[in-house]
Amino acid sequence: MKYSSTSFDVDTLALTREGHLHSSLREIVAEASRVINFQDCSIALYDPVQQELVTLAGSNPELHTRHTRFKIGQGIGGHVAESLESALVVDVSIDPRFVQLGPRPVGSMLCVPIFQEGRRLLGTITAVSRQKDAFGEHQLRLLEMIASMAGRSLAQLVRAQQLQVLYEMGQQLLASTDTDQVFDLLRRSVGGLMSCDLLHLRQIAPIPSKPYTWWAASPVPDPPWPDLSALMAGGARVLLAEDLPPGSIPPVGVECHSFLFMPLLVANTALGYVLVGSGARRAYSSEHVATLETIGGQVALWLRNAALNRRVIDQSERLEALFLYSSEAIVMLTDGRVTRVNPAGFRLLGVEPDRVLGEQQDAVLCLSPVEAALGERPLYQLRTPRGSREVEMSISDVVAAGEEHRILTLRDVTEQRELERAKAHFMSMVSHELRTPLGSVLGFADVLYMSAGDRMSDEEIEYLEHIRTSSRRLVQLVNDILDLSRMDAGRFHLSVGPMLPGDIARQVLAELSEMARSAEVLLEADVPPNGSAIHGDARRVHQVLINIVGNALKVTPVGGTITVRVEYLGQDVRFSVEDTGPGIPEHEHERIFERFYQPVTSRGLAATTGSGLGLTIARQLVEAHQGRMWLESEVGRGSVFFFTLPASRKRRRPRRELPT
């Protein structure tokens, strides 16, 4: 399909390119011949780029198939096109404005302008007779009526042709895969609907790309262009050369005098802009702006959709890379059958792809639960042709392409678990070996202390007290290490039975009352008098609470207060320990539960003395009860440690089931 760089107008080229223009014009001439007696009738259409009229149809085919061109102001048609007024010439020979036209003498002439909407010149229709005084006002009015009907008929045909071009463009955009194709389609569509000597497209979002430029008869295929994004604030509009900033248009190709500028917008988001240029000085109108807005809207949607598609493709490629190169085994199940397995999965399962894909889950994944350490992800034993492996497994349910899938992610922790068991065994052995002599040291120290009497000086008794205190601290440290080693090895069990939370709180405060008196800190209890019993390990809950209150005593200043509360909140019982100490910075609220971590004061010193294991063990004990522990604190305003325990026996730790 050939497109000219200098078209007649928005409608005439569209008509010409489909071959409908000449047949429509011939019908108009035939209609004129039925009501007006003439020797010849012709229709010329206006070319705004060349500022000329072009004869395209007439009653004499031999005379009017040459597409004669004549300037505005030349001949009767040129004068009518210039004045936009109808002309009646009763005797051409005596009228100095006109000359003899064609190979035969002319006696009288009628010429009427053909308008589009808004009195925009479309062309002229001219009737000629060899006789003088062959036409009068009546024939002039008849020809004006025919010209008016012709204008409306051509406008409808033009609109139909415009819609056809836009439809074809939309269909081709759906099949376009890159911006080069879209720009070529844009160039052909715009060139088929309006005067187009220049077309410039620049994409600025979501990802800026190279600008695209087409010039009519330009020796430079893609000249450098400045960025015209500043013009986008004014919206779609007609511009003249003087409206553009200096240097906006590179001095190559056809010199353009009028322009159409249109931002490419989707949901008020600017994606780029289009600039169309013409060598004519008044080539564009508001109708051209509306046409370009329709075209640009389709292009903007394509750019937006192309960016979204690119994002989806990029994300899919990243996910596929993660799937293929993940060190963890990934197995996809659909309707209980294995549909995808990544390379790490085949290595873990120890089978070939053709032995796995399409098989039922139970035939591929031979899993049985394994006792895990407190706080760990569920552990399973996986039986494979190469032996048993211990794996951590997480399960995700997803919907893709309208189908439900289950994604199993398995991490082989066999070697890690073996190391942890070896470590736990070593720690347990060392702790037991330490606890025996420590027990002897502490026992003999207590015997000496109780039987000292007058046989030991005050200084010696003070030394003996240091021995007893340090021994107790070492015993507590050994006990903590033993607890952690059991938890890590999965050999830690609770002795669950009925217990009264209020009694445990009061017992802890009684045991620490002497320490509080020595530290000059007030201990308070806010405990319901008739609280109901719950199920848990009373000894371990006592251990949690005494650890928290003991820590609070270490940081609360002289004259401060520590309040222990027990509250029944629906399905939970909540314990809280509030102190008036220095508070803990927010960035340490989670770290304080890490192993061996101790918060640091503003002076750079440890806030408490100890191993840094107490809160770690306390949280794991609470979680073993299916509870939760957390901290609320603000520097300078004290701290509140909370933990909850299930009030109902039904909320005990659930048995781990295999995924189905």
Side-chain angles (χ1 to χ4, degrees):
M1 189 179 294
K2 186 177 185 298
Y3 292 81
S4 168
S5 63
T6 53
S7 62
F8 294 118
D9 197 5
V10 61
D11 29 27
T12 58
L13 183 59
L15 292 168
T16 302
R17 117 191 188 324
E18 293 295 340
H20 296 306
L21 176 65
H22 290 90
S23 60
S24 299
L25 295 180
R26 284 194 295 270
E27 290 177 5
I28 295 171
V29 171
E31 180 66 26
S33 66
R34 283 193 287 268
V35 297
I36 301 175
N37 185 20
F38 50 73
Q39 270 72 48
D40 187 22
C41 181
S42 62
I43 294 180
L45 294 186
Y46 176 55
D47 180 355
V49 177
Q50 301 297 333
Q51 297 286 297
E52 293 177 340
L53 289 170
V54 184
T55 304
L56 292 181
S59 57
N60 188 338
E62 295 181 0
L63 185 64
H64 299 296
T65 55
R66 296 174 295 178
H67 292 189
T68 306
R69 287 178 172 267
F70 45 95
K71 296 292 184 183
I72 300 300
Q74 175 187 351
I76 188 171
H79 282 284
V80 168
E82 185 176 46
S83 65
L84 301 181
E85 299 290 342
S86 301
L88 168 61
V89 181
V90 296
D91 187 353
V92 172
S93 63
I94 62 174
D95 194 323
R97 295 177 301 170
F98 306 110
V99 297
Q100 185 174 347
L101 302 177
R104 290 167 291 180
V106 176
S108 55
M109 303 179 69
L110 288 174
C111 188
V112 174
I114 302 174
F115 292 114
Q116 299 183 72
E117 294 180 3
R119 285 184 63 83
R120 192 158 57 89
L121 182 66
L122 178 61
T124 61
I125 179 170
T126 304
V128 177
S129 176
R130 297 190 186 93
Q131 299 177 1
K132 300 175 182 178
D133 296 317
F135 305 125
E137 289 295 328
H138 177 67
Q139 286 80 10
L140 181 63
R141 299 294 171 257
L142 287 175
L143 193 60
E144 286 178 341
M145 291 175 59
I146 293 172
S148 176
M149 290 187 293
R152 290 194 296 271
S153 176
L154 289 175
Q156 292 176 356
L157 185 58
V158 165
R159 186 58 183 162
Q161 289 300 111
Q162 289 176 341
L163 293 175
Q164 181 65 24
V165 170
L166 295 175
Y167 172 77
E168 292 176 359
M169 178 181 179
Q171 293 299 306
Q172 295 178 52
L173 273 176
L174 292 175
S176 299
T177 57
D178 58 51
T179 312
D180 289 334
Q181 293 178 351
V182 171
F183 180 72
D184 184 63
L185 177 60
L186 176 65
R187 177 185 64 80
R188 290 186 285 114
S189 299
V190 172
L193 292 172
M194 63 188 71
S195 173
C196 180
D197 296 313
L198 161 68
L199 180 66
H200 180 69
L201 167 67
R202 183 185 290 268
Q203 181 180 354
I204 61 175
I207 302 175
S209 66
K210 66 173 184 177
Y212 292 83
T213 307
W214 174 83
W215 292 82
S218 171
V220 182
D222 194 5
W225 269 76
D227 189 354
L228 302 179
S229 300
L231 297 174
M232 297 177 67
R237 61 196 185 279
V238 177
L239 296 172
L240 299 178
E242 52 267 27
D243 297 327
L244 296 174
S248 296
I249 310 299
V252 295
V254 176
E255 183 180 2
C256 294
H257 299 286
S258 55
F259 302 90
L260 285 175
F261 182 85
M262 188 196 65
L264 299 175
L265 303 174
V266 175
N268 295 324
T269 300
L271 304 181
Y273 58 83
V274 171
L275 182 71
V276 181
S278 171
R281 295 190 178 277
R282 299 287 177 182
Y284 304 121
S285 67
S286 59
E287 292 182 8
H288 298 95
V289 174
T291 301
L292 191 59
E293 282 183 325
T294 303
I295 295 174
Q298 296 188 61
V299 173
L301 285 174
W302 185 91
L303 292 175
R304 194 274 307 271
N305 293 338
L308 292 177
N309 290 338
R310 183 69 259 171
R311 190 178 303 167
V312 170
I313 291 172
D314 290 343
Q315 184 176 8
S316 298
E317 290 176 348
R318 287 194 294 269
L319 291 176
E320 185 67 13
L322 288 173
F323 178 82
L324 292 175
Y325 299 108
S326 172
S327 60
E328 299 184 356
I330 303 175
V331 179
M332 177 185 288
L333 305 175
T334 306
D335 294 331
R337 293 186 178 273
V338 177
T339 51
R340 287 204 72 185
V341 180
N342 70 340
F346 288 123
R347 290 193 297 270
L348 177 63
L349 296 174
V351 293
E352 298 298 324
D354 57 358
R355 301 271 309 274
V356 172
L357 299 180
E359 296 294 329
Q360 287 287 344
Q361 169 191 344
D362 294 341
V364 176
L365 298 171
C366 302
L367 296 165
S368 56
V370 175
E371 188 68 32
L374 290 177
E376 283 189 346
R377 294 166 63 181
L379 282 176
Y380 298 88
Q381 184 181 63
L382 174 67
R383 294 187 300 278
T384 74
R386 300 176 184 176
S388 295
R389 310 294 294 177
E390 290 186 60
V391 297
E392 288 181 347
M393 181 168 62
S394 60
I395 303 173
S396 302
D397 292 320
V398 298
V399 178
E403 285 189 307
E404 295 183 356
H405 306 277
R406 173 158 288 188
I407 308 298
L408 307 181
T409 304
L410 301 98
R411 186 164 70 94
D412 190 349
V413 295
T414 306
E415 285 77 14
Q416 176 185 336
R417 291 275 293 170
E418 289 175 353
L419 288 173
E420 288 175 354
R421 280 191 288 267
K423 181 188 72 173
H425 176 71
F426 174 76
M427 295 299 294
S428 178
M429 180 185 66
V430 170
S431 299
H432 278 293
E433 293 298 323
L434 285 174
R435 191 158 59 171
T436 300
L438 278 175
S440 299
V441 171
L442 184 57
F444 285 122
D446 288 340
V447 170
L448 285 174
Y449 184 80
M450 288 184 293
S451 61
D454 297 331
R455 292 180 298 170
M456 300 181 70
S457 65
D458 292 343
E459 186 177 8
E460 289 172 333
I461 292 175
E462 182 180 353
Y463 292 156
L464 186 58
E465 183 61 36
H466 284 313
I467 294 174
R468 296 174 69 207
T469 302
S470 298
S471 297
R472 289 194 187 96
R473 190 175 299 162
L474 281 173
V475 169
Q476 184 59 50
L477 176 59
V478 170
N479 289 336
D480 288 346
I481 293 174
L482 279 173
D483 282 344
L484 277 178
S485 65
R486 292 192 191 101
M487 292 174 181
D488 291 343
R491 292 186 286 106
F492 184 87
H493 302 283
L494 298 176
S495 299
V496 179
M499 64 178 190
L500 291 169
D503 287 353
I504 294 175
R506 284 187 283 266
Q507 182 181 356
V508 167
L509 293 183
E511 291 179 10
L512 296 177
S513 59
E514 184 61 34
M515 183 186 298
R517 258 192 307 272
S518 300
E520 298 183 40
V521 172
L522 177 63
L523 289 181
E524 292 183 342
D526 184 2
V527 178
N530 299 314
S532 59
I534 65 173
H535 278 76
D537 189 329
R539 186 171 69 88
R540 294 300 185 178
V541 175
H542 178 278
Q543 179 181 344
V544 171
L545 198 56
I546 204 166
N547 182 279
I548 299 174
V549 178
N551 285 342
L553 281 170
K554 296 174 185 177
V555 299
T556 302
V558 172
T561 302
I562 297 174
T563 304
V564 178
R565 293 185 178 89
V566 176
E567 302 168 274
Y568 286 80
L569 305 174
Q571 294 186 351
D572 292 317
V573 174
R574 186 174 72 182
F575 293 79
S576 63
V577 178
E578 181 179 1
D579 64 54
T580 56
I584 300 172
E586 185 176 357
H587 67 274
E588 292 187 341
H589 284 191
E590 279 302 314
R591 293 203 63 195
I592 201 170
F593 294 102
E594 296 176 4
R595 297 186 183 192
F596 305 110
Y597 182 77
Q598 292 181 334
V600 178
T601 66
S602 59
R603 299 178 182 178
L605 302 174
T608 63
T609 59
S611 63
L613 295 175
L615 287 177
T616 304
I617 296 172
R619 174 177 268 191
Q620 293 201 24
L621 289 173
V622 169
E623 291 175 352
H625 282 83
Q626 296 298 292
R628 187 169 71 94
M629 176 179 282
W630 71 99
L631 161 68
E632 293 180 4
S633 181
E634 186 176 341
V635 174
R637 303 189 66 176
S639 305
V640 185
F641 282 83
F642 297 90
F643 69 92
T644 61
L645 299 177
S648 172
R649 196 173 180 181
K650 296 179 180 179
R651 286 189 51 198
R652 61 189 175 204
R653 186 182 183 97
R655 186 169 63 91
R656 276 183 286 130
E657 302 289 345
L658 293 179
T660 57

